[in-house]
Amino acid sequence: MNTISKKQPIHKKQKKFRSEQKKDMLSGYLYIAPFFIIFAVIGLYPMLFSIYLAFQKWNGLSPMTFNGLANFETVLTDPLFWKSVYNTIIIGIMGTAPQLVFGLILAYLLNMAFLKFKSFFRVTIFMPYLTSMVAVALIFSVLFSNHESSLANYVLTHFFGLDPIHWAASEWGTKIAISIMVFWRWVGYNTIIYLAGIQGIPNDLYEAATIDGANKFHQLFYITIPMMKPFIILTVFTSTVGAMQLFSEPTVFLGTDAFTRDEAMTIVMYLYRDAFKLQSFGTASATAIILLVIISLFAVINLSLTQGFGRKKRGVDK
């Protein structure tokens, strides 16, 4: 009897501990439940519905009819779709690659000890990212106006001796203007990310390199860039995804003519045109799935290219 009476309190304590543990688990799930509920409604359901819709023929009003892979065949055999893929890649390369290089250089300069008014320059560089697209449209419509007196044409004619360009009427003029708009808007965003990474590098490495006779150029390429590998991979990935989803800049720059101009049509613009102008939601959903595949391929390629950053040769390691 004494043995049983001694074991009962232990059993009660274990039971009470388990009930408290279950309460803690339940409260934890309740805390994170709003995020998953909102994600399921806003993110997961539209994604699954889009996959289902890619195999349907639907204009938004009439009943859906299953048509198999016909939507994918329609998109993949459309010359305008491949033109949009070409435009997206070209504008993405012209607008994204320079901003990553300049962003790293600007971050390195902003982190130098002798630079004064650092806070002012950091805020100034980041301001374009916070600027509304309406203001961006007004600025670039003036800078790249087709008129000979526009700022871009003035620079070309008076400083380089070139003929004025009809920026919004020529294919490469439109691509260059949109690429500069993308560069201007996002270079500050990548600069701040790189600056946060540079500030995490120990100063001892730079001091040791200075003692060994390394200049700022050598420190940038042999210390800063290798140590910045995770941040470079992050910005390359996010910039690639953003470039493949380019929509706002072309539509804002060209205005009402954006969806009638083949030279500025991007993949997302092609998707938007099918869905909301042609009321072909099936082909639009098929385009979204194809875009997902393209983004995944570019992400894998970028990841494989950036894996070698900062990695020493095996012969040196040994």
Side-chain angles (χ1 to χ4, degrees):
M1 292 294 292
N2 293 334
T3 306
I4 296 175
S5 62
K6 290 180 180 179
K7 289 185 177 180
Q8 282 179 350
I10 298 175
H11 179 70
K12 289 181 179 180
K13 288 181 180 180
Q14 291 178 348
K15 190 174 181 181
K16 184 178 180 181
F17 174 76
R18 290 176 182 174
S19 62
E20 292 293 334
Q21 191 177 20
K22 289 181 180 179
K23 288 181 181 180
D24 292 338
M25 291 176 61
L26 181 61
S27 62
Y29 285 125
L30 290 176
Y31 277 120
I32 65 175
F35 166 77
F36 288 100
I37 294 173
I38 294 174
F39 172 75
V41 174
I42 299 178
L44 184 61
Y45 172 74
M47 181 178 64
L48 296 177
F49 183 71
S50 179
I51 295 174
Y52 171 77
L53 196 58
F55 302 94
Q56 307 290 326
K57 184 178 181 181
W58 189 47
N59 62 0
L61 297 174
S62 61
M64 297 182 186
T65 56
F66 179 77
N67 61 350
L69 299 175
N71 292 328
F72 292 93
E73 182 180 357
T74 301
V75 173
L76 294 175
T77 55
D78 186 4
L80 182 59
F81 170 75
W82 293 108
K83 178 67 174 178
S84 69
V85 174
Y86 170 76
N87 292 337
T88 304
I89 295 174
I90 294 299
I91 296 175
I93 293 174
M94 293 171 60
T96 301
Q99 68 178 259
L100 298 177
V101 176
F102 277 90
L104 186 59
I105 296 174
L106 289 173
Y108 185 75
L109 294 176
L110 289 175
N111 193 55
M112 288 187 172
F114 63 84
L115 183 66
K116 297 181 179 180
F117 308 108
K118 291 183 180 180
S119 300
F120 171 76
F121 288 117
R122 291 171 185 176
V123 172
T124 304
I125 289 175
F126 193 69
M127 282 299 293
Y129 175 72
L130 303 176
T131 306
S132 66
M133 285 305 300
V134 177
V136 174
L138 292 175
I139 293 172
F140 279 85
S141 62
V142 174
L143 292 177
F144 294 96
S145 173
N146 294 332
H147 200 273
E148 295 182 1
S149 61
S150 65
L151 181 60
N153 285 329
Y154 179 83
V155 172
L156 289 177
T157 55
H158 287 76
F159 291 93
F160 298 97
L162 301 176
D163 296 330
I165 298 176
H166 295 283
W167 296 98
S170 61
E171 179 169 357
W172 282 103
T174 303
K175 287 182 171 62
I176 292 173
I178 295 173
S179 300
I180 294 175
M181 187 187 302
V182 173
F183 171 84
W184 178 82
R185 191 181 180 203
W186 292 96
V187 66
Y189 176 82
N190 291 316
T191 300
I192 296 300
I193 293 178
Y194 288 147
L195 183 61
I198 290 176
Q199 290 178 345
I201 300 175
N203 291 326
D204 298 342
L205 296 176
Y206 294 106
E207 293 175 358
T210 303
I211 294 173
D212 291 338
N215 55 29
K216 298 296 182 182
F217 182 80
H218 292 148
Q219 292 177 16
L220 175 63
F221 276 88
Y222 294 103
I223 297 177
T224 305
I225 293 180
M227 295 292 290
M228 288 284 294
K229 177 181 175 181
F231 296 91
I232 293 174
I233 293 176
L234 172 65
T235 53
V236 168
F237 178 78
T238 55
S239 299
T240 301
V241 174
M244 291 293 104
Q245 295 178 343
L246 189 64
F247 177 81
S248 300
E249 285 80 0
T251 54
V252 165
F253 181 72
L254 296 175
T256 56
D257 297 333
F259 296 96
T260 60
R261 300 277 300 278
D262 295 354
E263 63 269 20
M265 182 73 68
T266 62
I267 301 176
V268 178
M269 291 175 64
Y270 180 89
L271 186 156
Y272 181 91
R273 186 207 62 161
D274 276 12
F276 300 104
K277 292 186 176 296
L278 303 179
Q279 282 74 46
S280 178
F281 291 95
T283 56
S285 299
T287 305
I289 295 176
I290 296 172
L291 176 60
L292 176 62
V293 175
I294 294 175
I295 291 175
S296 301
L297 290 176
F298 273 94
V300 172
I301 293 172
N302 288 332
L303 185 61
S304 62
L305 291 176
T306 53
Q307 280 296 323
F309 278 1
R311 184 177 295 175
K312 297 180 179 180
K313 295 181 180 180
R314 293 184 179 180
V316 177
D317 292 340
K318 292 179 181 179

